[in-house]
Amino acid sequence: MSATISGCPATTTKSCSRIKIVGEAIPNIPWEDKPAGYSELVWRFSGNPVIDRHPIPKAFSIYNSAVVPFEGGFAGVFRTEYKTRMPHLHAGFSKDGINWQIEHDEIKMTGADPEIARYEFAYDPRVTKLEDWYYVQWCNGYHGPTIGLARTRDFKHFEQLENAFLPYNRNGALFPRKINGRYAMLSRPSDTGHTKFGDIFYSESPDLVYWGRHRHVMGRGGNWWQDTKIGAGPSPIETSEGWLLFYHGVLNSCNGFVYSTGAALLDLEQPWKVLYRSAEHILAPEALYETTGTVPNVVFPTAALCDAPTGRIALYCGAADTFTTLAFVNAFELIDWLKTQPKVC
Ligand code: BMA
C-alpha cells in the first residue's frame, strides 16, 4: 500500500495544499489503496468486475453506466443490454458503490413530447448532480444517436427534457454548475459509422433546452491511442487547476478498435481551452475482463466519484462492452502528472 498522509499520496503531499477540489466529501467512496510497488497512475479494483454478466433476468450485460452519491449511499443509471441486444436504461442503488441492486424494469420517463419519448435505443448514460436535480445524459436514438436529457430527484421518477442536439452525436457530459451564467455540456458530433473523425465540442444553454455557442475543445489525433476519435467520459470535476476531464480515445488496429482512457485539464471559465492533455493513455485494456467480451479491448469511462478532501477518485468503466468495472486514481497525483504533459497532443 502507498503511504498516505491525510489521504494524500506521500509523493504529492505538497500538491494537496496547492490543489483544491470543488465538490463534496464522500467518506464511503469505494476505495482500495494502490498496490505496493505499482507504478502506474491508475489501478484496478481487485474485486472487478463490479457487475458481471447477466446481473438481472432481462440483462445479457450491464456496462458503460453512471453512478453518483445518493442519500448516504449511491445510485446510478445503467446501460442494460437485453437478450434482444438492444440497450435500455435501468436505475440501480447501492450502499457501498460495489454491490448493486439494479431495478428489473427499465426507467419509464415522463413529460417529454411524444416525438422525443419514443424508444429507438438508449445507451451510455452519464449522471450529473446540478443544482438540486440529478441530470441524466445518454445516447438517445432519434433518427440516429443524439444526446437525450432527463432529470430526477429520487431515481424513481424521471422527467425527460428535449434532446440537446441534432443527430449524430454521442458522449454528452454536462458540467456540474453553470459557467458564465449558462448550462454547459461537452459532446462528440459524429456520423453514422466509425469514421476517422470525432472531436469533443463545448455547448452552452440558458435553459437546458436551447443549445448554442458551440466551441471546439479538442480533437482526435496525435498519438495513435487517440487517433481515430475521442469522447468525453464522466462530468468534468472542478478543481483549482481547471476542469478535470476523463475521456476515451480510440486506436484503429489491424484487429479492430481499441478504447482507452485519457485525462485533460480544461480552463475553468473557458472550458473549450485545453490546459493539459494526456499524451499517453492512463488506462488501457489489459485485464481479461477488458480484453475479452462482446467487444474485446474496450475500457470506457462513464462515471467518476471524487472525495474532495482526499482527492480519491473511483472511476467506473465499461469493459469489453460486457462488464462494469472500477479503477482508482488520486486527483492530486493525476493533476501533477497532467501538468507534465503537452498542452496539445
Ligand atoms: C462506441 C459506443 C460505446 C461502446 C464502444 C465500443 O461507439 O457504442 O457504447 O462501448 O463503441 O464498442
Side-chain angles (χ1 to χ4, degrees):
M1 305 283 168
S2 63
T4 57
I5 299 171
S6 307
C8 305
T11 49
T12 54
T13 303
K14 276 188 195 151
S15 60
C16 293
S17 53
R18 279 192 288 110
I19 300 173
K20 292 274 169 292
I21 293 167
V22 180
E24 59 189 320
I26 314 175
N28 58 340
I29 189 170
W31 186 257
E32 273 179 356
D33 281 344
K34 194 187 277 200
Y38 194 72
S39 58
E40 301 293 320
L41 271 171
V42 180
W43 61 103
R44 293 170 177 80
F45 176 46
S46 62
N48 274 340
V50 172
I51 302 180
D52 212 331
R53 293 173 193 263
H54 310 297
I56 57 170
K58 277 183 185 165
F60 184 70
S61 50
I62 291 184
Y63 58 98
N64 298 4
S65 298
V67 169
V68 287
F70 178 69
E71 292 185 345
F74 303 91
V77 175
F78 293 84
R79 174 184 175 150
T80 304
E81 201 154 297
Y82 290 5
K83 292 160 200 163
T84 57
R85 307 314 292 272
M86 296 300 293
H88 298 255
L89 301 182
H90 285 227
F93 300 89
S94 172
K95 285 197 171 63
D96 58 8
I98 292 169
N99 296 288
W100 285 92
Q101 284 76 51
I102 311 289
E103 299 285 346
H104 285 202
D105 292 317
E106 71 182 308
I107 293 171
K108 297 278 183 230
M109 298 194 182
T110 57
D113 184 308
E115 174 75 9
I116 301 300
R118 69 189 170 81
Y119 170 84
E120 241 177 59
F121 51 79
Y123 65 82
D124 293 3
R126 277 68 162 177
V127 177
T128 311
K129 178 92 191 309
L130 170 58
E131 296 159 350
D132 53 352
W133 288 95
Y134 299 94
Y135 285 90
V136 188
Q137 313 106 64
W138 74 98
C139 186
N140 193 23
Y142 181 70
H143 303 276
T146 185
I147 308 302
L149 259 185
R151 61 186 187 179
T152 183
R153 287 203 166 101
D154 57 7
F155 288 87
K156 292 187 187 310
H157 305 94
F158 291 78
E159 178 192 348
Q160 189 174 355
L161 311 176
E162 286 292 318
N163 290 332
F165 305 115
L166 291 169
Y168 297 81
N169 201 318
R170 294 176 172 92
N171 303 303
L174 200 56
F175 285 75
R177 67 163 169 88
K178 285 182 175 171
I179 298 173
N180 302 315
R182 296 193 184 88
Y183 297 104
M185 184 152 48
L186 300 173
S187 72
R188 206 281 304 288
S190 55
D191 69 358
T192 50
H194 291 268
T195 315
K196 199 167 177 176
F197 80 85
D199 294 354
I200 298 176
F201 284 78
Y202 175 88
S203 306
E204 294 182 351
S205 172
D207 54 8
L208 291 166
V209 175
Y210 296 97
W211 293 87
R213 295 172 54 92
H214 311 290
R215 299 286 182 271
H216 184 263
V217 179
M218 57 191 207
R220 67 165 190 89
N223 297 323
W224 286 357
W225 77 267
Q226 51 184 337
D227 187 44
T228 301
K229 53 186 176 165
I230 57 173
S235 272
I237 297 166
E238 186 170 5
T239 81
S240 54
E241 315 307 293
W243 292 102
L244 178 59
L245 173 70
F246 293 98
Y247 67 97
H248 67 260
V250 184
L251 162 86
N252 191 4
S253 80
C254 61
N255 198 30
F257 293 120
V258 179
Y259 282 70
S260 305
T261 299
L265 271 179
L266 310 180
D267 185 87
L268 279 178
E269 298 310 316
Q270 297 180 306
W272 54 92
K273 294 191 174 156
V274 179
L275 304 176
Y276 301 97
R277 174 178 174 183
S278 51
E280 301 170 348
H281 51 60
I282 56 171
L283 187 68
E286 283 180 50
L288 199 59
Y289 48 79
E290 297 162 340
T291 58
T292 306
T294 297
V295 182
N297 299 316
V298 177
V299 174
F300 198 89
T302 41
L305 303 173
C306 183
D307 178 42
T310 61
R312 290 176 169 180
I313 293 178
L315 187 65
Y316 288 83
C317 299
D321 285 11
T322 305
F323 306 104
T324 301
T325 63
L326 254 179
F328 306 113
V329 59
N330 184 280
F332 306 124
E333 204 173 300
L334 177 58
I335 288 169
D336 276 347
W337 176 79
L338 274 172
K339 288 182 175 176
T340 69
Q341 298 292 292
K343 287 179 196 289
V344 180
C345 294

